[in-house]
Amino acid sequence: MKKSIALLSLALGLTVSAQASAAEANANSASNIVSYGTDSLVKKDGTFWIWGPQQPVPTQIPELTGAASTFGFHMVEKQDHSVWLWETKPLSKTVTVKPVSGISNVTKIEGYGPALALDRDGNVSASVKTAEGWDMTHFEPVKGIDHVSDVESYYEMNDKTGQARRIFLKTDGTVWTNTDSEPSLTPAKNLDNVVQIEKNIALKKDGTVWTWPKTFKGTGSLPNTVTATQIKPLNQIKSIWQDANSSLAIDSQSRLWFWGAILTGYSDGPVYTDLPDPVLLTGVKNVKEAYVVEDSIVAFTGDDKVYATSIKRNSMPSNASFKLLASDVASVKNGYRHIIMQKKDGTLWGWGVNKNAELGYGDYEFMHQTPVPVQKPISVSLNGENVPLASGVITRNSQNFVPLRSVFEKMGAEVSYDEKSKQATVSRKEDGKPAISISVNVKTGSITLNNAPITIENKPFTVDGTVYLPLRLISEKLGATVNWLPDQERISIQMN
């Protein structure tokens, strides 16, 4: 039962705020990145980039221009405050972009059934239900609620049924709620002067933390509203965080508290053991943000360092040791199974599960135990025009590689690939000039020009079935001039 609740709550719960912190702004001043999430980023020029299952490194979506910030749920806000949805078709590198109607000037997107959008004026809108499901391209206002400062949603269950619950925090500190079975808004009991909500916990202005059930015994009707009770050991708390199974709190002394699920078993069959009483974790100090990511607690401290400790254990000792992951960190964005960090020099780094290229590093290694750099969002232009890439540029040992067909066909070359021999051929014929034929054996990495071998420092390679070839080498052999424009993070190719 707990595993089912966890999965349903996860589907409803992951959010990314569009607002950047002051630390992010400082990092952005040294970078071309103005906004980033766990699977996407926005550059200063308004271009939008994604990575994940079909794109192992940041890849530009050319249809999205004038972008300002990236949310979760594949949502992007443009500089004109309009909101757009991007979608990748399964088993395809094709990305579609659609405008989202009914919302603008958004600060947060939350939940799936329906999704809730909170704007900067405190209004909330919900995605519209159709015969095919919830339409993420059309939102309508949620009636009966305004002056909202935050929204949360999760799934609650008993032994027979379940329902999605939505929690609304108003600017006056009151909390209101509704469900699928009872859409009318009702006030939450015992919740006033609330300053933060996280799923089914709330932080009051006086530093106390309150909670209410998400699971119920029996088969009766689920409640229409919530009744909160205080978590007694916690006081002088200044911030809280919660995912589907675990909760964290940071107190006025910047100490970290943990309660909820610890794990045993295997990743494909975890056993959750609930620790209802908060544990003060003394192994890390000066904490300003904290999350549970996969099977670890991740703490971001006031001296700009990131630490982690495992919750995969039989008990959670107060003196659990925290391992240093990274220093000089400006900001952190957390996903369910990985994190993306921006360092003070503006670079992005990823840590955690990577089986679907979540870290933008250019591989599909299941997990990276130490942080790895997210590849730079490098664009390519040919004679001044942007060249769209199905997968982005991968840099290895300071050399840039591009997908087999992405650039060279636009340069007038014919490109072929023999799957059996793993042989790629790039050839070009031009009147009055000798024919050029470049052969690349992807298996051995050898390259020939008109059957004469060429010495190369870094061999071509394949990532997730896509062949990557050295951009500068082949472009110059085809007669082009290649320049690197560092301020734009752009490779400029000029060809007569």
Side-chain angles (χ1 to χ4, degrees), residues 254-405:
S254 299
R255 301 180 302 178
L256 181 61
W257 297 76
F258 168 86
W259 69 102
I262 54 176
L263 303 175
T264 55
Y266 300 95
S267 60
D268 58 349
V271 177
Y272 294 89
T273 301
D274 189 54
L275 301 179
D277 298 323
V279 177
L280 175 62
L281 301 177
T282 61
V284 66
K285 302 181 184 301
N286 194 19
V287 179
K288 59 182 178 181
E289 295 177 24
Y291 320 94
V292 173
V293 178
E294 181 68 350
D295 55 9
S296 297
I297 299 172
V298 175
F300 182 26
T301 59
D303 56 355
D304 303 324
K305 295 179 180 179
V306 176
Y307 297 84
T309 192
S310 176
I311 62 169
K312 197 170 184 180
R313 55 178 84 213
N314 293 318
S315 64
M316 178 56 72
S318 179
N319 64 348
S321 177
F322 279 75
K323 174 186 176 183
L324 177 65
L325 294 182
S327 302
D328 298 319
V329 176
S331 62
V332 179
K333 298 294 175 70
N334 69 294
Y336 177 58
R337 309 189 76 183
H338 74 290
I339 62 173
I340 301 294
M341 303 171 282
Q342 187 171 41
K343 291 198 172 187
K344 292 180 179 179
D345 63 3
T347 58
L348 297 183
W349 292 72
W351 173 84
V353 172
N354 183 59
K355 72 172 187 176
N356 291 315
E358 289 94 336
L359 305 185
Y361 179 58
D363 69 3
Y364 290 83
E365 190 73 27
F366 180 82
M367 185 170 188
H368 285 282
Q369 299 283 0
T370 57
V372 294
V374 178
Q375 291 271 318
K376 284 186 176 182
I378 296 175
S379 56
V380 178
S381 63
L382 176 60
N383 293 338
E385 294 187 7
N386 188 63
V387 178
L389 303 178
S391 293
V393 175
I394 294 181
T395 304
R396 291 191 176 178
N397 298 321
S398 300
Q399 187 173 6
N400 294 313
F401 293 79
V402 293
L404 174 62
R405 300 183 183 276

Side-chain angles (χ1 to χ4, degrees), residues 30-51:
S31 168
N32 279 321
I33 299 170
V34 296
S35 174
Y36 75 98
T38 57
D39 63 357
S40 57
L41 62 86
V42 176
K43 294 180 68 171
K44 289 180 180 178
D45 60 6
T47 56
F48 179 70
W49 303 68
I50 65 170
W51 61 90

Side-chain angles (χ1 to χ4, degrees), residues 98-112:
K98 301 176 183 177
V100 180
S101 65
I103 56 174
S104 64
N105 210 21
V106 170
T107 63
K108 184 178 183 180
I109 306 287
E110 165 66 26
Y112 277 105

